[in-house]
Amino acid sequence: MRVLNVPVPDGLKASWRGWLAPPRQPFFLTAREAASLALPTLPRGEAHLTPEERDTNAVWGIAGEADRVGWLTTADWSALGPRLQGDVLRAQERHRRGNVPRRCDFADLLPGLPEARFLWTPELLTDAVLTRVVANGGPACQKSQVPRSVWAAAATILPRIRELAGTFALHSGANCFGAVMGAAGVAGAEHQWMQRAPFETFLTGRTRPGGNDAKPGTVLLWRSADGLVQHAAVTLGAGWAFHKASQVWTSPRVVLSVDALKRTARERGRRLERHHLI
């Protein structure tokens, strides 16, 4: 199985199914909704989510007023019955929780889905469905298009870039900063949710200001108006670049053309600067 031109090992597919259709998952509600639905909940600040639960459910985007969390097992969910299930799903849609798929997005692959919104169960998550969920319209990796000579030239300053390009992380948290550092040879960085401080230390020690997008080893940095680095990528040379779009487990480490990558990373209020590896 390949997603966005990236191979997916069987063990990782099993993890994806487990994250999308877990035996227990969180539902985010206001206090009033929790009372009206008669669901047991706890304060959102007391809900300890794994990184995968955080990212699968897009918790960072959930409305602040949804400050109660109810944990429901598969059996709990079935016991609610269709009417209450519909009420809970509509509340999740209002509060912008992730992993509440729409029937219309999968009707061609899963005919007969009963509701406009539903929850995944393991048997629904075929390879074709998993591919669509994880790809979600993202740009496909172009690793196979990069000439051998470009990889050879890049290896002198980015010794692990070819190894990392076209791979998925095995968990949530691995981010763009760690991907760049790992490609540059920092052992284990690609597995970490790398914070800004160690990444800035890496920039100070391993790079100098300025760079050329056509050469390997130019680190592309996007900073917000307050000067904080928000995203990073690195060039391979000959018009190619490498990045990981986010810390979410659905985000692979990909190679794109420099122009395509810059379009992908562009956001209002961010400025692009360049450093080059030394």
PDB file of all heavy atoms in Angstrom, residues 96-114:
ATOM      1  N   ARG A  96     -15.829  21.323  16.047  1.00  0.00           N
ATOM      2  CA  ARG A  96     -14.700  21.140  15.135  1.00  0.00           C
ATOM      3  C   ARG A  96     -13.749  20.023  15.588  1.00  0.00           C
ATOM      4  O   ARG A  96     -12.546  20.104  15.364  1.00  0.00           O
ATOM      5  CB  ARG A  96     -13.943  22.451  14.917  1.00  0.00           C
ATOM      6  CG  ARG A  96     -14.807  23.566  14.340  1.00  0.00           C
ATOM      7  CD  ARG A  96     -13.966  24.759  13.895  1.00  0.00           C
ATOM      8  NE  ARG A  96     -13.267  25.386  15.011  1.00  0.00           N
ATOM      9  CZ  ARG A  96     -13.809  26.294  15.827  1.00  0.00           C
ATOM     10  NH1 ARG A  96     -15.054  26.699  15.635  1.00  0.00           N
ATOM     11  NH2 ARG A  96     -13.103  26.834  16.812  1.00  0.00           N
ATOM     12  N   ARG A  97     -14.300  18.998  16.232  1.00  0.00           N
ATOM     13  CA  ARG A  97     -13.477  17.833  16.525  1.00  0.00           C
ATOM     14  C   ARG A  97     -13.162  17.112  15.232  1.00  0.00           C
ATOM     15  O   ARG A  97     -14.004  17.021  14.324  1.00  0.00           O
ATOM     16  CB  ARG A  97     -14.215  16.867  17.466  1.00  0.00           C
ATOM     17  CG  ARG A  97     -13.271  15.898  18.170  1.00  0.00           C
ATOM     18  CD  ARG A  97     -13.946  14.630  18.644  1.00  0.00           C
ATOM     19  NE  ARG A  97     -13.937  13.600  17.616  1.00  0.00           N
ATOM     20  CZ  ARG A  97     -14.130  12.293  17.858  1.00  0.00           C
ATOM     21  NH1 ARG A  97     -14.335  11.871  19.092  1.00  0.00           N
ATOM     22  NH2 ARG A  97     -14.135  11.419  16.864  1.00  0.00           N
ATOM     23  N   GLY A  98     -11.959  16.607  15.108  1.00  0.00           N
ATOM     24  CA  GLY A  98     -11.606  15.810  13.944  1.00  0.00           C
ATOM     25  C   GLY A  98     -12.109  14.388  14.044  1.00  0.00           C
ATOM     26  O   GLY A  98     -12.706  13.979  15.047  1.00  0.00           O
ATOM     27  N   ASN A  99     -11.899  13.613  12.974  1.00  0.00           N
ATOM     28  CA  ASN A  99     -12.245  12.199  12.932  1.00  0.00           C
ATOM     29  C   ASN A  99     -13.731  11.950  13.122  1.00  0.00           C
ATOM     30  O   ASN A  99     -14.136  11.012  13.805  1.00  0.00           O
ATOM     31  CB  ASN A  99     -11.433  11.404  13.964  1.00  0.00           C
ATOM     32  CG  ASN A  99     -11.389   9.919  13.646  1.00  0.00           C
ATOM     33  OD1 ASN A  99     -11.432   9.518  12.491  1.00  0.00           O
ATOM     34  ND2 ASN A  99     -11.296   9.103  14.688  1.00  0.00           N
ATOM     35  N   VAL A 100     -14.549  12.820  12.500  1.00  0.00           N
ATOM     36  CA  VAL A 100     -15.993  12.595  12.414  1.00  0.00           C
ATOM     37  C   VAL A 100     -16.331  12.644  10.925  1.00  0.00           C
ATOM     38  O   VAL A 100     -16.777  13.666  10.401  1.00  0.00           O
ATOM     39  CB  VAL A 100     -16.792  13.646  13.209  1.00  0.00           C
ATOM     40  CG1 VAL A 100     -18.270  13.290  13.218  1.00  0.00           C
ATOM     41  CG2 VAL A 100     -16.275  13.753  14.639  1.00  0.00           C
ATOM     42  N   PRO A 101     -16.084  11.558  10.202  1.00  0.00           N
ATOM     43  CA  PRO A 101     -16.183  11.588   8.742  1.00  0.00           C
ATOM     44  C   PRO A 101     -17.604  11.808   8.243  1.00  0.00           C
ATOM     45  O   PRO A 101     -18.582  11.534   8.947  1.00  0.00           O
ATOM     46  CB  PRO A 101     -15.657  10.213   8.326  1.00  0.00           C
ATOM     47  CG  PRO A 101     -15.840   9.353   9.536  1.00  0.00           C
ATOM     48  CD  PRO A 101     -15.662  10.246  10.714  1.00  0.00           C
ATOM     49  N   ARG A 102     -17.670  12.289   6.994  1.00  0.00           N
ATOM     50  CA  ARG A 102     -18.955  12.532   6.331  1.00  0.00           C
ATOM     51  C   ARG A 102     -19.238  11.401   5.350  1.00  0.00           C
ATOM     52  O   ARG A 102     -18.357  10.980   4.599  1.00  0.00           O
ATOM     53  CB  ARG A 102     -18.927  13.856   5.578  1.00  0.00           C
ATOM     54  CG  ARG A 102     -18.638  15.066   6.424  1.00  0.00           C
ATOM     55  CD  ARG A 102     -18.776  16.346   5.622  1.00  0.00           C
ATOM     56  NE  ARG A 102     -17.948  16.332   4.408  1.00  0.00           N
ATOM     57  CZ  ARG A 102     -17.972  17.281   3.483  1.00  0.00           C
ATOM     58  NH1 ARG A 102     -18.799  18.312   3.602  1.00  0.00           N
ATOM     59  NH2 ARG A 102     -17.172  17.207   2.420  1.00  0.00           N
ATOM     60  N   ARG A 103     -20.462  10.955   5.333  1.00  0.00           N
ATOM     61  CA  ARG A 103     -20.857   9.890   4.407  1.00  0.00           C
ATOM     62  C   ARG A 103     -20.547  10.261   2.964  1.00  0.00           C
ATOM     63  O   ARG A 103     -20.042   9.429   2.194  1.00  0.00           O
ATOM     64  CB  ARG A 103     -22.353   9.611   4.562  1.00  0.00           C
ATOM     65  CG  ARG A 103     -22.902   8.553   3.584  1.00  0.00           C
ATOM     66  CD  ARG A 103     -24.374   8.321   3.830  1.00  0.00           C
ATOM     67  NE  ARG A 103     -25.151   9.560   3.688  1.00  0.00           N
ATOM     68  CZ  ARG A 103     -26.384   9.721   4.128  1.00  0.00           C
ATOM     69  NH1 ARG A 103     -26.993   8.737   4.756  1.00  0.00           N
ATOM     70  NH2 ARG A 103     -27.019  10.862   3.953  1.00  0.00           N
ATOM     71  N   CYS A 104     -20.791  11.516   2.579  1.00  0.00           N
ATOM     72  CA  CYS A 104     -20.622  11.915   1.180  1.00  0.00           C
ATOM     73  C   CYS A 104     -19.173  11.803   0.710  1.00  0.00           C
ATOM     74  O   CYS A 104     -18.919  11.657  -0.485  1.00  0.00           O
ATOM     75  CB  CYS A 104     -21.143  13.332   0.958  1.00  0.00           C
ATOM     76  SG  CYS A 104     -20.296  14.597   1.917  1.00  0.00           S
ATOM     77  N   ASP A 105     -18.200  11.844   1.642  1.00  0.00           N
ATOM     78  CA  ASP A 105     -16.796  11.756   1.258  1.00  0.00           C
ATOM     79  C   ASP A 105     -16.344  10.324   1.000  1.00  0.00           C
ATOM     80  O   ASP A 105     -15.264  10.117   0.438  1.00  0.00           O
ATOM     81  CB  ASP A 105     -15.908  12.372   2.344  1.00  0.00           C
ATOM     82  CG  ASP A 105     -16.099  13.874   2.470  1.00  0.00           C
ATOM     83  OD1 ASP A 105     -16.445  14.503   1.456  1.00  0.00           O
ATOM     84  OD2 ASP A 105     -15.905  14.403   3.584  1.00  0.00           O
ATOM     85  N   PHE A 106     -17.157   9.342   1.398  1.00  0.00           N
ATOM     86  CA  PHE A 106     -16.744   7.944   1.278  1.00  0.00           C
ATOM     87  C   PHE A 106     -17.822   7.062   0.669  1.00  0.00           C
ATOM     88  O   PHE A 106     -17.670   5.841   0.635  1.00  0.00           O
ATOM     89  CB  PHE A 106     -16.343   7.399   2.661  1.00  0.00           C
ATOM     90  CG  PHE A 106     -15.176   8.112   3.263  1.00  0.00           C
ATOM     91  CD1 PHE A 106     -15.373   9.177   4.134  1.00  0.00           C
ATOM     92  CD2 PHE A 106     -13.878   7.763   2.929  1.00  0.00           C
ATOM     93  CE1 PHE A 106     -14.299   9.857   4.679  1.00  0.00           C
ATOM     94  CE2 PHE A 106     -12.790   8.438   3.468  1.00  0.00           C
ATOM     95  CZ  PHE A 106     -12.995   9.488   4.341  1.00  0.00           C
ATOM     96  N   ALA A 107     -18.894   7.665   0.168  1.00  0.00           N
ATOM     97  CA  ALA A 107     -20.022   6.878  -0.335  1.00  0.00           C
ATOM     98  C   ALA A 107     -19.625   5.964  -1.481  1.00  0.00           C
ATOM     99  O   ALA A 107     -20.180   4.871  -1.633  1.00  0.00           O
ATOM    100  CB  ALA A 107     -21.147   7.813  -0.758  1.00  0.00           C
ATOM    101  N   ASP A 108     -18.672   6.384  -2.317  1.00  0.00           N
ATOM    102  CA  ASP A 108     -18.261   5.541  -3.436  1.00  0.00           C
ATOM    103  C   ASP A 108     -17.478   4.318  -2.975  1.00  0.00           C
ATOM    104  O   ASP A 108     -17.505   3.265  -3.633  1.00  0.00           O
ATOM    105  CB  ASP A 108     -17.427   6.346  -4.440  1.00  0.00           C
ATOM    106  CG  ASP A 108     -16.170   6.945  -3.812  1.00  0.00           C
ATOM    107  OD1 ASP A 108     -16.239   7.386  -2.650  1.00  0.00           O
ATOM    108  OD2 ASP A 108     -15.123   6.976  -4.488  1.00  0.00           O
ATOM    109  N   LEU A 109     -16.797   4.438  -1.849  1.00  0.00           N
ATOM    110  CA  LEU A 109     -16.023   3.315  -1.325  1.00  0.00           C
ATOM    111  C   LEU A 109     -16.816   2.481  -0.319  1.00  0.00           C
ATOM    112  O   LEU A 109     -16.535   1.290  -0.145  1.00  0.00           O
ATOM    113  CB  LEU A 109     -14.748   3.828  -0.633  1.00  0.00           C
ATOM    114  CG  LEU A 109     -13.761   4.599  -1.508  1.00  0.00           C
ATOM    115  CD1 LEU A 109     -12.596   5.109  -0.656  1.00  0.00           C
ATOM    116  CD2 LEU A 109     -13.243   3.727  -2.643  1.00  0.00           C
ATOM    117  N   LEU A 110     -17.787   3.112   0.343  1.00  0.00           N
ATOM    118  CA  LEU A 110     -18.551   2.452   1.400  1.00  0.00           C
ATOM    119  C   LEU A 110     -20.043   2.716   1.197  1.00  0.00           C
ATOM    120  O   LEU A 110     -20.667   3.471   1.940  1.00  0.00           O
ATOM    121  CB  LEU A 110     -18.112   2.965   2.778  1.00  0.00           C
ATOM    122  CG  LEU A 110     -16.653   2.718   3.167  1.00  0.00           C
ATOM    123  CD1 LEU A 110     -16.291   3.511   4.423  1.00  0.00           C
ATOM    124  CD2 LEU A 110     -16.398   1.228   3.386  1.00  0.00           C
ATOM    125  N   PRO A 111     -20.644   2.111   0.185  1.00  0.00           N
ATOM    126  CA  PRO A 111     -22.078   2.332  -0.025  1.00  0.00           C
ATOM    127  C   PRO A 111     -22.892   1.799   1.147  1.00  0.00           C
ATOM    128  O   PRO A 111     -22.522   0.806   1.776  1.00  0.00           O
ATOM    129  CB  PRO A 111     -22.368   1.541  -1.314  1.00  0.00           C
ATOM    130  CG  PRO A 111     -21.266   0.539  -1.410  1.00  0.00           C
ATOM    131  CD  PRO A 111     -20.063   1.180  -0.805  1.00  0.00           C
ATOM    132  N   GLY A 112     -23.961   2.510   1.453  1.00  0.00           N
ATOM    133  CA  GLY A 112     -24.844   2.047   2.514  1.00  0.00           C
ATOM    134  C   GLY A 112     -24.552   2.612   3.879  1.00  0.00           C
ATOM    135  O   GLY A 112     -25.153   2.170   4.871  1.00  0.00           O
ATOM    136  N   LEU A 113     -23.614   3.579   3.971  1.00  0.00           N
ATOM    137  CA  LEU A 113     -23.400   4.209   5.270  1.00  0.00           C
ATOM    138  C   LEU A 113     -24.701   4.871   5.713  1.00  0.00           C
ATOM    139  O   LEU A 113     -25.331   5.597   4.947  1.00  0.00           O
ATOM    140  CB  LEU A 113     -22.284   5.255   5.170  1.00  0.00           C
ATOM    141  CG  LEU A 113     -20.859   4.705   5.004  1.00  0.00           C
ATOM    142  CD1 LEU A 113     -19.901   5.831   4.647  1.00  0.00           C
ATOM    143  CD2 LEU A 113     -20.408   3.998   6.275  1.00  0.00           C
ATOM    144  N   PRO A 114     -25.120   4.672   6.961  1.00  0.00           N
ATOM    145  CA  PRO A 114     -26.474   5.086   7.339  1.00  0.00           C
ATOM    146  C   PRO A 114     -26.641   6.549   7.674  1.00  0.00           C
ATOM    147  O   PRO A 114     -27.746   7.077   7.569  1.00  0.00           O
ATOM    148  CB  PRO A 114     -26.757   4.231   8.576  1.00  0.00           C
ATOM    149  CG  PRO A 114     -25.401   3.985   9.165  1.00  0.00           C
ATOM    150  CD  PRO A 114     -24.464   3.886   7.994  1.00  0.00           C
TER     151      PRO A 114
END
